[in-house]
């Protein structure tokens, strides 16, 4: 390549990178494929498009018409998804020129961040456990217990905010860590499989949640339903732009940012994180080089559970302000979504941050799309699933886009945990 | 069968594993393919056996150009392969293993065991391969299991046998027996392709020797060629087969094992009352066929396996049942037997692997934060000092060749300021050049006045390194002898004095 000018060469190497199979490119292409698959689902489930295709051969203008209807509908769906989760350019322009209506313009991105905030935190906890080769499937229960612990501390005692809020958050971390300690200790000392224990533990914690929200000290006074007391303002993470603005995004995003920074330092720079990664990559080499598997297993579950608990309490302190009998259990459950997010983010803190934002945007945008076009919200879930499916099978992406063999890095599922 | 490989070329991406290789094997000939690891021997054999398809060149059998779609077709055309790692089902009988995949059947698809057994008896008688057809494979010694593999190939009417590193797992006596079998097979007209990197065996048995280096045929030699000539042909430079040692001047005892009892994963006692002393400035070589408790002994020393009774003392300090970290910190260097499993984290970088057991010590870390700059410069230094061939210290350990992977472990352990070194099979699977290098490092450690325990099932290595030689059999030390003892005598000790009956 010596006779190629430097500028050409750098473009060439960029092109080589873009067309080779590296993790970032594969993830981006998986995203593209996710939307392509989503488009086909829209086509096959929208009556107007199908009607247009039914007359495909009827007249010379029909094919063009069918394609136009397709692009209109699919385009509208994805446009609504975008404007509902990130920003509406028209509204943005209006606010910019008139100086009014900023709250409405910022609502989509605020909702996306609100959704993503606890998701980042819990997903990083799950990602750390995956990097260590342990499968923490109990993040949902741990988050619930953290939320409950925080809600009790936040509502049952009264303190000035500078003590009350930290105390509430710490209570959440401890609640999650306690829930994590159980499978950790059982695995370390008896070899009980963490997947089984954590899955079962979820149900125990859900039952405990119901018990707490239906029992006297914490149940909302005067309520017969499964609703707990609302936490005091001194224990809340306030909205970033004040209560009056109506934007729900809260100071919780700083907690999430702190967790991302901590996790990056922990995994990439700390000695303990190094031990974790060695254990995850090769348990036998870890043992031979003096790392205690027991200590690592217990610590991983404490940290992973603690982060899940923090996510739960952040959800309470910033968004729901109380827990009820279905807290964090609805839909798939945040702790289960976190498994997919961690996989999509390749268990790396920065990757998980992006993946959480993507999932947040798809979730929020999906609802906006449903409201505007009538296409079911579930399309967003389908896109999420297809993206993860393709990320997990880089070979497929490579074949579809004819990528050069490059840094073939199949997704590290940390499958030692299944052994 | 007359086999000719003509101009075989096989590329994997930018790597040319086989470059225009031509060899001819005459009927009744034992043709040795000699080369270092990574020279392309296995690729060539996989091409020949139909597992890979050559990019260029042709396979000619008895004058006819042949193409194999898969290994089944190669088998049908009379090519048999005995893999380095046996492909036997341990819980099946010899008969069942031999007929596996080609079962003779009676009506209703029932296996005709009688015919199968009779066939095996006939073939084993014809070629002097004594095996009980009804024995269960897992109860047989490794040497006999290999016989079953050969029998399997012959029962499919193989005219050409490929033996891939067949002696790696055998005792000297079993090797002799194998060679006798090979000779009788050749005498009956079978052709044999014998793949190895062991010079002694090549000279003992081959009719023709072809040496391969970097995927190319670099020469052919007569069995009369000297070992050092063969070695330099194979490596491409002069090689010192036995590293020079300073005069043996043992100091005081630095490492003592007393009445050690250790169980394996199944709970069986596999180290049964072992006592050993190692003195300063000496290498105690522990010989023995694999599976006689050496692995578990080393694991117990390194703190990776609980000691049932007995004591291990290093420099006067009792390290019995201490944690691996305490033992490593007390000054034990450990070169584990399975380098890819216990010695390295293959997905992690060279630099990380070079601090694998010292990541939290200054200067590599301060207050729990790793100092990646120091880790990197430390790695650069060791790569230079220990001649590790790598393009960057950031590349993952998996991208290194076996020899360089072992150099990483040796560099890590010997640069760690250790008092005592335990090395288990330190050169297994390495090429001649890397063996020379690793041996020199271990000898340097000894010459500085330190003690070492080197466990090896290779007698060449035991002789090259040992100042004294201990032999282990069935969990016990069957003898401690001087290096002037003959191979035959050590072979007898390795077999517990009754040859050919080594237990699992």
């Amino acid at each position: 390549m010596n006779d190629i000018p430097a500028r050409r060469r750098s473009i060439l190497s960029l092109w080589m990178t873009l067309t080779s199979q590296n993790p970032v490119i594969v993830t981006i292409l998986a995203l593209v494929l996710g939307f392509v698959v989503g488009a086909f689902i829209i086509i096959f489930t929208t009556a107007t498009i199908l009607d247009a295709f039914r007359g495909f051969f009827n007249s010379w203008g029909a094919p063009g018409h069918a394609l136009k209807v397709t692009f209109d509908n699919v385009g509208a769906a994805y446009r609504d998804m975008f404007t509902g989760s990130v920003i509406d350019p028209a509204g943005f322009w209006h606010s910019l020129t008139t100086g009014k209506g900023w709250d409405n313009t910022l609502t989509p991105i605020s909702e996306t961040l609100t959704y993503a905030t606890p998701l980042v935190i819990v997903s990083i906890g799950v990602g750390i456990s995956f990097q260590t080769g342990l499968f923490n499937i109990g993040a949902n229960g741990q988050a619930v217990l953290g939320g409950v612990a925080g809600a009790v501390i936040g509502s049952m005692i009264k303190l000035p905010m500078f003590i009350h809020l930290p105390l509430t958050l710490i209570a959440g971390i401890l609640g999650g860590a306690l829930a994590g300690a159980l499978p950790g200790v059982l695995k370390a000392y008896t070899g009980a499989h963490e997947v089984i224990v954590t899955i079962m533990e979820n149900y125990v914690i859900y039952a405990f949640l119901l018990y707490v929200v239906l029992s006297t000290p914490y149940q909302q006074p005067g309520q017969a339903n499964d609703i707990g007391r609302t936490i005091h303002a001194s224990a809340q993470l306030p909205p970033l732009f004040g209560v009056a603005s109506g934007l729900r995004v809260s100071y919780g995003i700083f907690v999430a940012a702190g967790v991302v920074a901590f996790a990056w330092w922990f995994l990439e720079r700390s000695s303990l994180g190094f031990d974790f990664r060695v254990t995850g990559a090769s348990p036998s080499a870890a043992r031979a080089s003096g790392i205690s598997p027991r200590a690592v297993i217990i610590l991983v579950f404490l940290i992973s559970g603690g982060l899940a608990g923090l996510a739960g309490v952040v959800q309470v302190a910033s968004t729901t302000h109380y827990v009820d009998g279905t807290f964090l259990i609805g839909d798939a459950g945040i702790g289960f979504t976190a498994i997919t997010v961690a996989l999509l983010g390749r268990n790396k803190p920065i990757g998980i941050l992006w993946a959480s934002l993507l999932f947040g945007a798809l979730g929020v945008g999906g609802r906006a799309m449903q409201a505007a076009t009538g296409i079911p919200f579930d399309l967003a879930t389908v896109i999420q699933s297809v993206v993860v499916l393709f990320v997990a099978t880089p070979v497929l992406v490579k074949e579809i886009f004819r990528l050069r063999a490059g840094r073939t890095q199949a997704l590290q599922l940390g499958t030692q945990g299944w052994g | 069968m007359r086999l000719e490989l003509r101009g075989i070329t096989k590329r994997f991406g930018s790597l040319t594993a086989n470059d225009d290789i031509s060899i001819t094997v005459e009927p009744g000939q034992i043709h040795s393919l000699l080369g270092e690891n990574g020279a392309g021997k296995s690729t060539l054999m996989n091409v020949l056996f139909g597992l890979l398809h050559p990019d260029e060149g042709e396979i000619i059998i008895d004058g006819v150009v042949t193409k194999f779609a898969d290994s089944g077709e190669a088998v049908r055309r009379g090519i048999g392969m005995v893999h380095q790692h046996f492909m036997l089902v341990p819980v099946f009988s010899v008969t069942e293993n031999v007929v596996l995949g080609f079962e003779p059947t009676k009506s209703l698809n029932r296996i005709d065991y009688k015919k199968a057994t009779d066939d095996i008896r006939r073939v084993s008688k014809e070629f002097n391969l004594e095996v009980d057809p009804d024995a269960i494979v897992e109860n047989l010694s490794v040497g006999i299991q290999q016989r079953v593999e050969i029998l399997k190939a012959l029962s499919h009417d193989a005219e050409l046998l490929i033996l891939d590193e067949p002696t790696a797992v055998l005792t000297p006596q079993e090797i002799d027996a194998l060679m006798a079998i090979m000779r009788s097979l050749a005498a009956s007209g079978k052709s044999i392709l014998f793949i190895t990197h062991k010079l002694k065996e090549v000279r003992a048995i081959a009719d023709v020797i072809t040496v391969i280096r970097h995927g190319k045929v670099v020469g052919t030699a007569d069995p009369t060629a000297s070992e050092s000539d063969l070695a330099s042909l194979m490596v491409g430079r002069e090689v010192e087969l036995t590293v020079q040692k300073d005069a043996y001047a043992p100091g005081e005892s630095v490492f003592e094992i007393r009445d050690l009892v250790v169980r394996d994963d199944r709970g069986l006692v596999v180290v049964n009352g072992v006592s050993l002393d190692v003195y300063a400035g000496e290498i105690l070589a522990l010989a023995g066929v694999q599976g006689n408790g050496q692995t578990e002994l080393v694991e117990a020393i390194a703190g990776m396996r609980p000691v049932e009774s007995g004591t291990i003392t290093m420099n006067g300090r009792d390290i019995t049942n201490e944690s691996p970290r305490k033992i490593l910190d007390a000054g034990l260097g450990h070169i584990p037997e399975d380098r890819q499993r216990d010695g390295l984290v293959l997905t992690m970088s060279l630099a990380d692997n070079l601090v694998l057991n010292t990541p939290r010590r200054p200067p590599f870390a301060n207050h729990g934060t790793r100092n990646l700059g120091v880790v990197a410069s430390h790695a650069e230094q060791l790569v230079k000092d220990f001649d590790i061939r790598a393009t960057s210290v950031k590349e993952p350990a998996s991208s290194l060749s076996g020899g360089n992977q072992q150099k990483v472990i040796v560099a890590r352990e010997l640069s760690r300021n250790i008092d005592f070194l335990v090395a288990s099979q330190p050169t297994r699977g390495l090429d001649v050049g890397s063996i020379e290098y690793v041996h020199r490092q271990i000898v340097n450690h000894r010459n500085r006045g330190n003690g070492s325990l080197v466990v090896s099932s290779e007698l060449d290595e035991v002789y090259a390194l040992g100042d004294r030689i201990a032999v282990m059999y069935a969990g016990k030390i069957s003898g401690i002898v001087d290096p002037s003892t003959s191979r035959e005598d050590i072979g007898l000790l390795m077999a517990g004095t009754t040859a050919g009956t080594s237990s699992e």
Side-chain angles (χ1 to χ4, degrees), chain B residues 372-391:
Chain B
L372 295 186
V374 176
V375 169
S377 59
H378 167 80
E380 302 278 0
Q381 188 63 42
L382 288 186
V383 163
K384 209 181 295 163
D385 291 352
F386 285 81
D387 190 32
I388 299 166
R389 306 282 166 80
T391 49

Side-chain angles (χ1 to χ4, degrees), chain A residues 42 119 146 166 199 286 298 300:
Chain A
I42 296 173
L119 191 58
I199 287 178
I298 293 173
V300 166

Side-chain angles (χ1 to χ4, degrees), chain A residues 265-292 412, chain B residues 303-305 324-325 328 334 340-345 347-348 352-353 355-357 359-360 365 367-370 372:
Chain A
W265 169 82
F266 182 78
L267 286 171
E268 305 293 326
R269 289 288 182 277
S270 78
S271 310
L272 186 60
F274 182 73
D275 287 357
F276 278 28
R277 284 190 294 130
V278 170
T279 308
S282 172
S284 45
R287 222 158 64 85
S289 52
I291 296 167
S292 158
Q412 296 275 320
Chain B
M304 292 164 66
R305 184 174 285 282
R325 174 142 288 161
L328 293 171
H334 177 208
Q340 301 203 333
R341 197 191 69 191
D342 295 333
L344 296 169
V345 181
T347 52
M348 292 180 113
D352 282 346
N353 272 292
V355 294
L356 202 59
N357 46 28
R360 46 184 71 241
H367 309 295
T369 300
R370 302 182 67 212
L372 295 186

Side-chain angles (χ1 to χ4, degrees), chain A residues 24-171:
Chain A
V24 176
I25 300 293
V26 167
T27 308
I28 292 170
L29 292 178
L31 203 57
V32 172
L33 287 172
F35 281 99
V36 170
V37 171
F40 277 105
I41 290 175
I42 296 173
I43 291 168
F44 286 115
T45 56
T46 307
T48 46
I49 301 180
L50 291 178
D51 284 345
F53 272 98
R54 212 158 278 140
F56 199 80
F57 297 109
N58 289 358
S59 68
W60 284 110
H65 172 71
L67 289 176
K68 183 175 178 303
V69 172
T70 306
F71 279 111
D72 284 352
N73 279 277
V74 173
Y78 285 154
R79 190 185 59 236
D80 290 331
M81 213 182 244
F82 181 81
T83 57
S85 63
V86 185
I87 206 150
D88 182 355
F92 178 73
W93 184 245
H94 175 78
S95 304
L96 204 63
T97 47
T98 62
K100 280 183 274 187
W102 276 110
D103 286 353
N104 279 339
T105 306
L106 292 177
T107 299
I109 191 85
S110 157
E111 285 302 300
T112 295
L113 291 172
T114 304
Y115 185 99
T117 298
L119 191 58
V120 176
I121 301 172
V122 66
S123 304
I124 282 180
V126 172
I128 288 176
S129 85
F130 285 179
Q131 280 229 8
T132 319
L134 295 167
F135 252 91
N136 180 11
I137 311 293
N140 214 54
Q142 292 148 12
V144 168
L145 199 61
V148 169
V152 168
I153 295 293
S155 62
M156 305 291 284
I157 54 177
K158 243 183 137 32
L159 287 165
M161 187 175 187
F162 74 96
I163 305 177
H164 202 183
L165 180 57
L167 200 64
T168 304
L169 296 180
I170 288 169

